[in-house]
Amino acid sequence: MNLYNIKHPEEQVNFAQAVRQGLGKDQGLFFPEVLPKLNNIDELLALPLVERSQKILSAIIGEEIPEATLNSMVKNAFTFPAPLAQVSDSIYALELFHGPTLAFKDFGGRFMAQALSAVRGDGKITILTATSGDTGAAVAHAFYGLENINVVILYPKGKISPLQEKLFCTLGGNIRTVAINGDFDACQALVKQAFDDAELRQAIGLNSANSINISRLLAQICYYFEAFAQLPKEKRSEVVVSVPSGNFGNLTAGLIAKTLGLPIKRFIASTNANDTVPRYLKSGEWSPNATVATLSNAMDVSRPNNWPRVEELFKRNGWALSELGSDALSDAETEATLKAMYAENYLCEPHGAIAYQVLKDQLQAGETGIFLCTAHPAKFKESVERILALDLPLPEALDKHNKLPLLSDEMDNDFAQLRAYLLK
Ligand SMILES: *Cc1c(COP(=O)(O)O)cnc(C)c1O
């Protein structure tokens, strides 16, 4: 598989390099040079998730990764289902939250961990990352138990919810978690210092397992096919997909699925008040505002870092950006939507609710709508319980960790200490 840097197309890498490196020169994103047209879509849709995903990813990645290796990567990553639930006559929810950390990032994170493990070569790898909560959990669970990969996660002591802390600080093994006496920015600054330290980087094989890693996107393509596979055949011809968007990785993956030949009619990008993209699509002007905090905080992003990939796909396919639907919802509208959905017997959380409402507003007669549910309602327990006035029991995956002791180390906001800790 050959990829180029969108900012500097002369910089070309293979899959292994793109996975190891994450970003290209000048923070440019890597993009596949060729996306194959799959001409056996119906055959693929008849297969189970894992087998189908092996075939799709093999068609994209090609011979660089031996078939047996790729097959085990997919099998180890996709260990949970992505059920499609019917919400109304013409609207379905694709539930992507049945993985170990109850969010769709388990798909991309777990496949990235497998990919990095497969292409890392002989050297040791240390994944170092800072988290304000959720990403840390997905990274920790994705890499847990992988040989020769150590993971160190920094988080601000006392500033993440106790439940979030339990979810990723109780694993042990190759996962070390460090509670820093400081805020999230301090954690991020420590990580940056570590990456700027060439000697340290070399000594422990530092890698960021970044959210823009191409392997994440490849994994996410697969669940768009899974959604179609579960749709009744007579509903597969006019499908509209609404994606709750923050950094726009999820939407990018969907657009790649369409490029490969999955017959999705059109997409809708749904956001919260951080509405840079909906405003851009209406006015043609890219003018990010300061990021604001919302109920759907995983989408509190005003400069979505995958947007260049979205534009690249539209350009290469000769699609017009005007075909991309979009809208933004306020927190008040999100709350009202959650209530309305609950009244229709579907328990959702803020991110999925935004995708549902914009879909409902823009779906036309004869179309079938699918919205992506990116997190389990219990992940946003406090807001969901308050808005819907109910008690939400913890799902077993969370409850299990909640009962285990914390294994975190504690450290001052001091790079010298962190350096010694990493070299130990
Ligand atoms: C990360 C995240 C999103 C946004 O996904 P992008 O790929 O960044 O657009 C939406 N919902 C939840 C729950 C998330 O964690």
Side-chain angles (χ1 to χ4, degrees):
M1 174 180 195
N2 204 30
L3 302 104
Y4 60 92
N5 176 342
I6 291 180
K7 274 193 188 162
H8 295 282
E10 72 283 359
E11 183 186 9
Q12 309 230 338
V13 293
N14 63 16
F15 176 70
Q17 289 167 308
V19 169
R20 281 198 298 259
Q21 226 175 295
L23 278 168
K25 209 166 68 177
D26 287 340
Q27 314 280 308
L29 302 172
F30 289 124
F31 198 84
E33 188 174 74
V34 176
L35 288 168
K37 268 267 173 291
L38 306 174
N39 46 26
N40 53 344
I41 300 283
D42 286 340
E43 267 166 57
L44 286 171
L45 292 180
L47 297 172
L49 171 67
V50 168
E51 239 177 280
R52 178 191 324 113
S53 304
Q54 288 165 341
K55 289 195 157 46
I56 294 168
L57 293 172
S58 160
I60 302 173
I61 298 171
E63 285 167 4
E64 188 185 333
I65 303 291
E67 194 179 316
T69 307
L70 181 65
N71 286 352
S72 74
M73 282 159 61
V74 175
K75 191 162 158 258
N76 292 337
F78 294 0
T79 49
F80 49 92
L84 189 72
Q86 185 160 18
V87 174
S88 68
D89 238 13
S90 55
I91 296 186
Y92 294 78
L94 180 63
E95 297 184 347
L96 300 172
F97 52 73
H98 296 279
T101 74
L102 306 178
F104 85 97
K105 290 194 175 70
D106 282 328
F107 278 97
R110 290 173 69 81
F111 186 71
M112 175 174 60
Q114 293 292 324
L116 206 50
S117 173
V119 305
R120 79 184 156 80
D122 297 328
K124 220 168 71 168
I125 287 188
T126 304
I127 308 287
L128 175 66
T129 183
T131 186
S132 52
D134 278 351
T135 52
V139 166
H141 282 261
F143 283 93
Y144 180 58
L146 291 184
E147 264 171 52
N148 289 313
I149 300 188
N150 289 311
V151 175
V152 177
I153 302 174
L154 313 184
Y155 64 98
K157 183 173 153 56
K159 297 203 171 70
I160 68 175
S161 84
L163 190 62
Q164 277 179 327
E165 189 175 21
K166 286 281 188 168
L167 188 53
F168 72 100
C169 302
T170 53
L171 290 167
N174 63 328
I175 312 295
R176 287 189 291 169
T177 51
V178 186
I180 299 287
N181 288 311
D183 58 12
F184 176 60
D185 289 336
C187 298
Q188 272 195 311
L190 285 170
V191 169
K192 182 163 186 310
Q193 260 182 298
F195 277 91
D196 286 342
D197 184 332
E199 197 186 307
L200 177 68
R201 213 165 57 209
Q202 179 70 27
I204 62 173
L206 266 191
N207 190 295
S208 67
N210 209 304
S211 69
I212 42 67
N213 198 291
I214 191 73
S215 56
R216 284 184 184 260
L217 291 185
L218 298 189
Q220 291 174 238
I221 295 166
C222 300
Y223 50 67
Y224 288 90
F225 284 81
E226 177 65 9
F228 265 70
Q230 292 176 55
L231 265 186
K233 283 208 172 77
E234 68 279 8
K235 293 197 165 175
R236 292 181 189 172
S237 60
E238 300 265 308
V239 173
V240 180
V241 182
S242 175
V243 185
S245 295
N247 270 319
F248 284 75
N250 220 348
L251 179 68
T252 306
L255 291 165
I256 296 177
K258 181 173 160 84
T259 307
L260 297 176
L262 189 68
I264 297 170
K265 185 178 173 193
R266 60 191 171 90
F267 286 91
I268 299 172
S270 309
T271 73
N272 58 30
N274 297 286
D275 59 351
T276 307
V277 168
R279 282 188 294 111
Y280 171 66
L281 291 174
K282 273 170 206 130
S283 73
E285 223 169 293
W286 186 263
S287 56
N289 296 329
T291 307
V292 294
T294 73
L295 278 176
S296 48
N297 55 33
M299 310 199 306
D300 290 350
V301 179
S302 58
R303 297 170 190 271
N305 58 19
N306 267 300
W307 186 256
R309 284 179 169 142
V310 172
E311 293 216 343
E312 188 78 356
L313 276 158
F314 272 84
K315 195 171 74 188
R316 274 181 37 178
N317 282 307
W319 301 334
L321 266 181
S322 56
E323 290 162 30
L324 179 60
S326 78
D327 208 356
L329 243 62
S330 68
D331 274 357
E333 290 167 324
T334 307
E335 291 201 13
T337 302
L338 269 182
K339 287 180 188 151
M341 293 176 87
Y342 192 55
E344 306 271 342
N345 285 318
Y346 192 74
L347 177 61
C348 202
E349 53 71 48
H351 305 77
I354 289 178
Y356 168 81
Q357 186 60 49
V358 181
L359 176 67
K360 193 163 177 253
D361 292 343
Q362 302 191 1
L363 199 67
Q364 290 158 18
E367 291 178 334
T368 298
I370 296 175
F371 66 102
L372 305 194
C373 284
T374 44
H376 192 290
K379 267 212 118 145
F380 295 88
K381 189 173 158 60
E382 287 84 11
S383 3
V384 174
E385 286 186 332
R386 173 183 60 77
I387 296 163
L388 299 179
L390 49 72
D391 278 324
L392 213 51
L394 277 189
E396 208 211 327
L398 281 185
D399 198 38
K400 197 173 70 191
H401 290 281
N402 212 18
K403 293 183 179 128
L404 296 172
L406 286 177
L407 301 172
S408 295
D409 296 308
E410 216 186 297
M411 197 181 288
D412 285 333
N413 178 13
D414 173 8
F415 181 62
Q417 274 186 49
L418 176 65
R419 195 174 196 278
Y421 180 88
L422 288 171
L423 286 167
K424 196 167 64 188

